[in-house]
Amino acid sequence: FLYARGWPMTAVFLRGLAYAVLLSTGTEFTQLFSHQRFPSVQDVLMNVLGAAGGMAIVRVSEGTRVGTMKRR
């Protein structure tokens, strides 16, 4: 959405990472109040790396849409 509005790709990527950090940290924070779950910095790191990987895959595959693929 932001990229389509003319934002530089670097800004979109960094903003996406910031959202991933906030969401993951917030999720881990809520685990402080659960007796069965334990917060972990490793979980936050893996979630952020997964978000970065997902954004990279989208960037690489940009322009490839389901409806535009050629049929054999």
Side-chain angles (χ1 to χ4, degrees), residues 9-68:
M9 193 59 194
T10 305
V12 173
F13 188 78
L14 292 176
R15 191 169 185 165
L17 284 182
Y19 285 140
V21 168
L22 288 172
L23 179 63
S24 185
T25 303
T27 302
E28 292 298 314
F29 178 75
T30 62
Q31 291 181 11
L32 289 171
F33 305 104
S34 175
H35 297 289
Q36 298 172 344
R37 308 272 313 179
F38 301 100
S40 168
V41 174
Q42 183 180 2
D43 287 344
V44 174
L45 180 62
M46 290 297 118
N47 289 338
V48 172
L49 287 175
M55 288 186 290
I57 289 171
V58 167
R59 177 70 175 131
V60 168
S61 66
E62 188 176 63
T64 323
R65 302 282 187 252
V66 175
T68 60

